[in-house]
Every structure is written in structure tokens, then in C-alpha cells.
Amino acid sequence: MTAKILDGKAIATDIKASLRVKVDKLLAEGKRRPGLAVILVGEDAASQVYVRNKRNSCEEAGFHSELIQMSASTDQQELLSRIDTLNADDNIDGILVQLPLPAHIDENAVIEHIAIDKDVDGFHTYNVGRLTLRTPLLRPCTPKGVMTMLQRTGIELEGKDAVIIGQSNIVGRPMALELLAARCTITVCHSRTKDLEAKVKGADILVAAVGIPNFVPGEWIKKGALVIDVGINRLENGSLCGDVDFKAACDNAAWITPVPGGVGPMTVATLLQNTYQAYSSRTA
């Protein structure tokens, strides 16, 4: 079996084009653009790339975007004060603080300080709690983007056995909630999981989000499985790869996401969807 490619880049392009049509309609009606503010603390090279991609996507969708760059020595109170200003800004519908933050800043305190109706990353405990109770508003971007990709396969998810490798607050845990809401049976694996191979081999849906290059051998993939590779790892030769051995996995999977060009673009496109949703709620 040769897997079909679940092209996140192409889906993301469709989403941004659809949002652009909506924004152009708003402008024609004399209304303002949706606004996204991104705060970058420090000079982490990977974070700078991610922020640039987000701002470029905002431009493609016709959104207003603001970048607030703060030095790595910024203290927590200064950052919280800047968030206060954005919380009160009626032209800003979404606020994103790029993670990771410098070690002296409490990430949880920062996330909790963002107004819940502008929490377009979907990380605030209020929004995660809504997802838990199956009444979601702003949903975490990567898991929501993964669900969009799975829906594009046209395969019925209800009743499928889904295995998630990784239990982070950003991907693994909300991903489990998303798949549970879709009526899948969920197994979340982590560093203490026993017999990971057997669990992966039984998965109709596999979401790998562990951050280790080629961690999942292709021969572990069940015939006909849907494989979502969230990992993005840079090898010594400068190339990028995911958490799943892509080439070998293609022999077994029905659908698989590439790295790059899979989950990454969908995360950014979903961020824009959340920002538009926040705009619509705030201007209703």
C-alpha cells in the first residue's frame, strides 16, 4: 500500500484564501480587519521563524497584525503589563505569546493573563476546560488543525482506535480531547508507557508528537492507518524530519502527513481561523 499524502500546506492555503474572501467582504462593508498581536520575548531563532510565518499568513488572509518584540531580560510584570494593553485594545482580536519564554518568566501565569476571548492559541484553562466539557470556543490550534486534516480524508472517525504519543498541554492532551469528542477510543502514550510498539500497531489513527526524529518505525504502522506526524526535527545535515519514519510508514498507512508541509502550516491557518472567530464574537 502506498499512502496518500495529507497535504497540510494545500489545505492551509485553501483556509487562508477563504478567510481573505471574508475579510474583503468586511472591508467592502466599511468594517475593520481582524487583528492579531504576537509577542516575542528574546531572540530564539526557531521562534523568530514561527513568528515570521504567522505574520506572513496574516498578510495573505488580509488580517491586521502587530509584532511586539521584547528583550530576553524583560521581567514578568513588564510582559503582563503589555498583555493588559492588548487586552484593552479593541482593534486586537487575538493575542499570541510565542513560546517558549525565558526561564525566569512563568508561562502559565502569562497564558492565564490573556483575555479568554482573545486567547487564540486556546491555551487558557477556560478554553481547555470548555473543550473538556464538549462546549469548545477557542480550541488549541494544532489539535484543531489535525482534526481538519482528518476530516479531509473523508474517513469516518467514530469508533476508531486512536493512539497519541506525547502528553504535552499544547498537543497531546487537547488532541486526546478532540479525538474523544469525535467518538474515537483514546490511548495517550508517554515516557512511562509499556509496550509502545503493541499500542501503535493497534492504532487506526496515530498522532506522533514526541519531538524525536524518526521515533516511530514504519513497520509499527497498522495497515490502512491514518498517520499524523506533529514532530518537526532538524537533523545534523540540516534537513527536517518528523517523529515517524516517513518512507517506511508509507508502505502501511492509508494517509500520512509529510514533514515539512503537513501539520505546521495547518497550525498557523487554524490560528487565523481562531482569530476570525474571536473577531466575529467580539463584533457581533
Side-chain angles (χ1 to χ4, degrees):
M1 180 185 294
T2 301
K4 296 179 182 178
I5 302 302
L6 201 42
D7 190 340
K9 187 175 181 180
I11 299 171
T13 298
D14 289 345
I15 290 171
K16 286 183 285 188
S18 176
L19 289 170
R20 184 62 188 243
V21 171
K22 293 178 180 179
V23 172
D24 288 345
K25 185 174 184 292
L26 290 173
L27 297 178
E29 294 171 352
K31 300 176 182 177
R32 66 171 178 84
R33 302 174 187 272
L36 174 66
V38 179
I39 301 177
L40 177 61
V41 182
E43 299 179 353
D44 179 78
S47 291
Q48 289 177 331
V49 171
Y50 295 146
V51 167
R52 184 167 62 248
N53 289 342
K54 289 165 184 174
R55 295 200 76 201
N56 289 342
S57 291
C58 278
E59 185 174 345
E60 290 177 52
F63 285 26
H64 166 70
S65 69
E66 294 183 14
L67 172 61
I68 296 96
Q69 293 184 283
M70 308 179 78
S71 71
S73 61
T74 298
D75 65 39
Q76 183 166 309
Q77 188 53 52
E78 185 180 357
L79 175 55
L80 296 180
S81 295
R82 185 58 66 93
I83 292 172
D84 282 333
T85 300
L86 295 170
N87 282 340
D89 188 338
D90 286 338
N91 290 316
I92 296 298
D93 304 292
I95 302 169
L96 180 151
V97 178
Q98 184 64 45
L99 304 178
L101 291 169
H104 65 278
I105 297 178
D106 182 347
E107 289 186 357
N108 288 332
V110 170
I111 291 169
E112 294 294 302
H113 207 72
I114 297 171
I116 56 175
D117 61 341
K118 296 188 178 187
D119 170 41
V120 289
D121 253 341
F123 294 161
H124 194 288
T125 51
Y126 175 84
N127 282 315
V128 175
R130 299 270 321 206
L131 179 61
T132 302
L133 297 175
R134 294 182 290 176
T135 56
L137 290 176
L138 295 172
R139 295 151 60 189
C141 295
T142 297
K144 181 182 176 184
V146 168
M147 295 307 294
T148 301
M149 298 175 84
L150 289 173
Q151 289 159 7
R152 289 291 185 105
T153 68
I155 294 174
E156 176 60 57
L157 302 183
E158 186 172 319
K160 293 283 192 287
D161 289 320
V163 171
I164 302 154
I165 307 178
Q167 58 164 346
S168 73
N169 290 344
I170 294 174
V171 180
R173 291 169 185 260
M175 189 74 255
L177 293 171
E178 289 280 5
L179 287 165
L180 187 60
R183 306 285 287 173
C184 296
T185 301
I186 308 302
T187 302
V188 179
C189 301
H190 46 76
S191 61
R192 299 293 183 268
T193 296
K194 296 178 181 178
D195 201 359
L196 179 63
E197 178 179 351
K199 291 177 174 61
V200 172
K201 283 184 173 180
D204 301 310
I205 301 168
L206 175 68
V207 180
V210 68
I212 301 175
N214 298 316
F215 178 74
V216 180
E219 58 267 25
W220 287 11
I221 304 301
K222 181 180 180 179
K223 289 286 186 182
L226 309 179
V227 178
I228 305 293
D229 195 342
V230 180
I232 182 162
N233 311 287
R234 190 170 296 279
L235 302 177
E236 290 183 0
N237 64 9
S239 64
L240 296 175
C241 75
D243 293 347
V244 178
D245 182 346
F246 179 82
K247 185 175 181 180
C250 282
D251 291 335
N252 291 326
W255 291 86
I256 190 169
T257 60
V259 178
V263 175
M266 285 300 298
T267 297
V268 177
T270 305
L271 172 68
L272 298 185
Q273 286 182 316
N274 279 357
T275 302
Y276 187 85
Q277 178 183 335
Y279 167 89
S280 298
S281 297
R282 296 181 65 252
T283 57

